[in-house]
Amino acid sequence: MSLARNARLSKVSMCCFLQVISQTLVNSNMKRDCAKCSMGKFLVLLLFCGLGYLMLTHTSTTHSVFGGQEKDSNRLKVGDELITDGTSRLRRFLRKPPRLPPRLSPDEIGNVNKSVHVPGKLNTGSKWIDRQHSVKKAFSHAWSGYKNHAMGFDELMPLSQRGMDGLGGLGATVVDALDTAMIMGLDEVVSEAGSWVETHLPERINQKGQVNLFETTIRILGGLLSAYHLSGGEQGGNQTHKGPEPIIYLENARSLADRLLTAFTSSPTAIPFSDVILRDQSAQPAPGGLSSTSEVSTLQLEFNYLSFLTGDSKYSMESMKVLEHMKTLPKVKGLVPIYISPQSGEFSGDTIRLGSRGDSYYEYLIKVWLQNKASNWTYLYEMYDEAMKGVKHLLVQKSIPNGLLFVGELPYGPKGSFSPKMDHLVCFLPGTLALGATKGITKEEAIKRNLLTLEDLENLKLAEDLVKTCFEMYSVTSTGLAPEIAYFNIEGNSEGGLDGGNKSSEYVNDISIKYADRHNLLRPETVESLFVLYRITEDPKYREWGWEIFEAFEKYTKVDSGGYSSLDDVTVIPPHKRDKMETFFLGETLKYLYLLFGDSSLIPLDEFVFNTEAHPFPIQRTNKRE
Ligand code: DMJ
């Protein structure tokens, strides 16, 4: 039916409608009251004419980060233009609250959406909308610094206002930041970053030299895959964002992954080499021959999703061999050493920790299982479950004098002494524990549906205790920003004179910070866990803590000429700035803060799994892989 015919029909039906209404009124009590007064009649008719006009002319346009898929009424309204004929417009007008203004960004949608959104506690109040807006402004400031001084380089050096290639030269900031811009509804940034990917990335992938398999997978491959999804790629190219056709992101992802695969295929065992030479399509071990445990076990979400999207199982098969092999290796109550040999396939050394080189091994066990529940990889859940029991038995202790729970290390294995050292990196763990407990739904819902075991409840409690500790690692310092590493004072192992400088903190005597560990790299782990804990427990204190951290970043790391900088020492004011803005500040830190302050229906945790670089992939409900 043509649009003109539609419009005619809708006008006809509207006239009939008005006739019926005015007839009813004329025959009703109102007639008796007003019949004597022709002015009254006229006013009533005028009122209905106005109403009819509104119904005929009112159209609605919504805008979202998701491509075209219609979700239930509790979720964000998605899709492109909603143009309806007059009749259905009339039905909807009578049924629904006022419509959204045109082209709202997701944070604004969160605001409007609350009028039809059910879970009251998570509705976004205006304070949080303002705060979310501040995060968006911070992202724009970070991007403008990068764009003006370092476009196409891996990272911005905000103080010297130039770029550097610390990650192999694939324009890492562009790709890491892209899906954050999509989520924030920053069309201009999406367009700039997307055009750069389309124009420059294919050549870089062909011609660049050595890159690290893990960093390239989590930042570049992960960023491309989530950009593909968020721009509507899975809806058959129904593009919902500025920038190139979504297929461009997938093509680049595939071309990159085909080269990265050589790290797996050229290794004599299931454990991949740590580096790839892109232009030669060859791979090599790290100096010393060993790979990091976390690096080889933090590739599977990305390679699985690529297999799902392309229908080519090779990516998933190669990457899953790593975890299948690790399942067979001896462990200490589920905990593993931080090095592994691609030559022998065995773990190397005794050091066990959830900080650097160990962290995301534990994160991916549960996330890969959550991503592919249809594949029945229950061994991953069992490995995760056992490891978390090991963490509780061997690594969790309480500080003195005020009893903060923290996760320490076993530098010499289970028979050696315990070290009360905790990397900021360990602060991913509260979020992972909470996710593992409820599988992404709220605690309230999980309890109502009787889904939580005693173990889940214990893990959730541990998550809440640990995220408090992570927050206190920020509040004990003079700047309100956490150091890279903290030591917790315990019986017989207390460091005096190394406090963080905030004498008014309740925990100033519980936490010590060594001189070499006082830097801050704009890392995301604590705000990541605050975001997950807020979504799961709905406790507003996590948002308040996140806001305090954001304000400290604003105060001490913002660079006037554009961008944000790392810091040398968080215990002194003013802190000395370090000339580097890490890509994960845009890819992770600001994204998690934005989501923390926003509506819970934006990237729901039971529908998406975030890779370790905060790139969200949809959870696979079916197993489409070949
Ligand atoms: C990120 O690249 C990832 O989150 C990784 O898993 C750990 N380190 C950084 C952020 O701190």
Side-chain angles (χ1 to χ4, degrees):
M1 202 185 296
S2 74
L3 279 177
R5 189 165 142 68
N6 258 343
R8 266 199 315 275
L9 274 180
S10 59
K11 274 187 188 135
V12 169
S13 50
M14 186 56 61
C15 287
C16 295
F17 172 75
L18 288 173
Q19 260 173 15
V20 171
I21 296 280
S22 51
Q23 205 53 54
T24 313
L25 282 174
V26 171
N27 295 330
S28 70
N29 288 340
M30 196 173 245
K31 177 190 166 190
R32 281 192 291 278
D33 293 341
C34 297
K36 290 171 224 144
C37 166
S38 56
M39 179 58 92
K41 227 180 197 173
F42 174 72
L43 284 175
V44 170
L45 273 175
L46 201 65
L47 179 76
F48 279 95
C49 284
L51 193 66
Y53 175 78
L54 271 178
M55 286 187 277
L56 277 171
T57 53
H58 194 90
T59 54
S60 152
T61 307
T62 57
H63 174 68
S64 153
V65 295
F66 300 101
Q69 65 212 123
E70 189 86 12
K71 291 174 182 269
D72 67 55
S73 60
N74 287 348
R75 304 276 180 225
L76 285 183
K77 202 79 193 154
V78 293
D80 295 321
E81 297 220 314
L82 255 176
I83 302 171
T84 57
D85 63 46
T87 319
S88 59
R89 212 177 288 147
L90 171 61
R91 273 200 305 273
R92 292 150 66 96
F93 186 86
L94 292 171
R95 215 173 45 213
K96 291 209 166 178
R99 290 176 192 289
L100 312 183
R103 291 202 58 84
L104 293 176
S105 69
D107 48 346
E108 293 159 324
I109 286 174
N111 177 19
V112 177
N113 200 43
K114 76 179 177 211
S115 60
V116 290
H117 193 68
V118 180
K121 272 186 258 171
L122 286 186
N123 278 349
T124 311
S126 69
K127 172 170 111 178
W128 295 107
I129 294 164
D130 290 349
R131 289 179 172 186
Q132 196 188 35
H133 207 77
S134 303
V135 178
K136 190 168 166 177
K137 270 172 65 186
F139 179 89
S140 294
H141 183 79
W143 175 258
S144 74
Y146 171 76
K147 187 184 81 171
N148 294 334
H149 307 302
M151 190 70 189
F153 285 93
D154 282 335
E155 288 141 333
L156 168 68
M157 299 171 76
L159 306 181
S160 44
Q161 298 177 23
R162 56 199 171 93
M164 63 183 280
D165 277 340
L167 292 157
L170 296 177
T173 294
V174 178
V175 189
D176 224 359
L178 181 55
D179 65 355
T180 308
M182 289 178 174
I183 288 167
M184 292 180 174
L186 284 164
D187 284 352
E188 208 179 310
V189 179
V190 174
S191 169
E192 289 158 358
S195 306
W196 188 91
V197 167
E198 182 169 29
T199 317
H200 300 287
L201 193 56
E203 189 197 344
R204 300 271 179 113
I205 290 172
N206 271 326
Q207 292 179 5
K208 284 291 172 183
Q210 185 170 337
V211 295
N212 174 273
L213 169 67
F214 160 77
E215 297 292 0
T216 310
T217 298
I218 64 167
R219 300 186 203 215
I220 314 291
L221 183 58
L224 289 168
L225 292 173
S226 64
Y228 174 72
H229 178 79
L230 295 180
S231 59
E234 282 188 75
Q235 281 72 51
N238 171 15
Q239 202 175 346
T240 54
H241 283 277
K242 290 266 185 303
E245 288 292 318
I247 193 70
I248 296 292
Y249 300 127
L250 185 59
E251 281 168 358
N252 275 282
R254 193 173 193 159
S255 147
L256 178 61
D258 284 339
R259 286 164 174 77
L260 296 178
L261 267 186
T262 57
F264 299 89
T265 51
S266 51
S267 165
T269 67
I271 304 303
F273 289 136
S274 83
D275 297 310
V276 168
I277 320 294
L278 291 173
R279 62 173 161 264
D280 301 346
Q281 304 209 25
S282 66
Q284 62 187 38
L290 298 174
S291 295
S292 296
T293 299
S294 63
E295 292 196 0
V296 300
S297 56
T298 308
L299 310 161
Q300 291 71 18
L301 285 179
E302 297 81 355
F303 280 80
N304 285 338
Y305 186 38
L306 182 60
S307 277
F308 178 82
L309 291 175
T310 59
D312 187 340
S313 61
K314 69 182 175 195
Y315 310 104
S316 177
M317 267 173 51
E318 287 300 333
S319 71
M320 287 307 292
K321 276 186 203 162
V322 180
L323 299 180
E324 280 151 23
H325 172 74
M326 283 177 147
K327 176 180 67 174
T328 68
L329 297 179
K331 305 179 184 68
V332 179
K333 291 193 183 296
L335 306 177
V336 293
I338 59 169
Y339 287 106
I340 190 161
S341 164
Q343 295 298 343
S344 68
E346 302 294 323
F347 286 120
S348 175
D350 294 317
T351 304
I352 287 172
R353 65 174 176 235
L354 270 77
S356 63
R357 301 185 191 278
D359 48 5
S360 45
Y361 163 77
Y362 305 94
E363 179 186 352
Y364 268 37
L365 290 179
I366 189 71
K367 285 187 173 176
V368 175
W369 177 75
L370 283 170
Q371 180 197 35
N372 299 277
K373 277 205 230 137
S375 298
N376 215 10
W377 289 332
T378 39
Y379 73 93
L380 294 172
Y381 185 81
E382 286 158 15
M383 286 164 77
Y384 167 79
D385 191 45
E386 196 194 354
M388 291 308 107
K389 289 191 174 100
V391 167
K392 286 180 271 188
H393 272 104
L394 297 172
L395 301 181
V396 172
Q397 290 207 17
K398 253 185 194 173
S399 67
I400 55 166
N402 292 308
L404 281 176
L405 230 51
F406 68 95
V407 181
E409 303 183 356
L410 296 171
Y412 310 104
K415 296 199 182 103
S417 57
F418 174 83
S419 167
K421 163 181 179 272
M422 180 163 151
D423 293 352
H424 184 273
L425 287 169
V426 181
C427 290
F428 81 93
L429 186 62
T432 295
L433 279 166
L435 192 64
T438 72
K439 285 72 184 171
I441 62 175
T442 63
K443 179 180 175 183
E444 191 181 8
E445 196 187 336
I447 289 173
K448 211 185 295 163
R449 287 164 54 189
N450 211 9
L451 296 176
L452 300 182
T453 63
L454 279 180
E455 188 90 25
D456 291 330
L457 287 167
E458 193 179 291
N459 286 352
L460 203 46
K461 173 77 174 72
L462 178 60
E464 297 206 48
D465 289 340
L466 289 176
V467 82
K468 175 177 170 53
T469 301
C470 289
F471 173 67
E472 298 303 341
M473 283 165 65
Y474 285 70
S475 40
V476 293
T477 71
S478 312
T479 55
L481 290 170
E484 179 72 357
I485 299 170
Y487 285 79
F488 288 80
N489 297 327
I490 52 175
E491 217 63 68
N493 194 345
S494 272
E495 314 258 358
L498 291 173
D499 66 66
N502 178 12
K503 304 286 183 201
S504 63
S505 160
E506 189 187 340
Y507 299 100
V508 67
N509 296 318
D510 291 65
I511 297 178
S512 300
I513 309 169
K514 297 189 175 174
Y515 291 105
D517 306 332
R518 295 185 168 190
H519 48 291
N520 179 295
L521 305 182
L522 309 167
R523 284 198 191 276
E525 290 77 16
T526 296
V527 295
E528 166 186 349
S529 284
L530 289 174
F531 156 66
V532 178
L533 263 291
Y534 175 69
R535 284 280 179 96
I536 285 176
T537 67
E538 303 173 292
D539 186 335
K541 79 177 173 214
Y542 298 123
R543 276 183 157 179
E544 297 291 350
W545 292 355
W547 178 247
E548 279 185 44
I549 292 173
F550 175 72
E551 281 193 304
F553 278 130
E554 281 290 285
K555 190 164 179 187
Y556 293 114
T557 71
K558 192 169 185 170
V559 176
D560 288 343
S561 55
Y564 289 75
S565 70
S566 306
L567 300 177
D568 276 343
D569 187 344
V570 292
T571 70
V572 295
I573 292 180
H576 188 260
K577 290 191 165 80
R578 208 177 250 200
D579 201 7
K580 188 165 171 179
M581 180 173 76
E582 298 278 352
T583 75
F584 48 70
F585 186 61
L586 291 90
E588 297 193 69
T589 311
L590 293 176
K591 182 187 289 149
Y592 283 130
L593 283 165
Y594 182 85
L595 292 172
L596 171 64
F597 302 148
D599 193 279
S600 63
S601 56
L602 184 56
I603 323 261
L605 284 176
D606 57 344
E607 291 180 23
F608 286 85
V609 61
F610 286 84
N611 87 337
T612 195
E613 191 74 5
H615 298 302
F617 306 149
I619 286 176
Q620 255 93 86
R621 301 288 174 202
T622 53
N623 187 3
K624 268 207 232 155
R625 291 173 309 117
E626 280 175 359

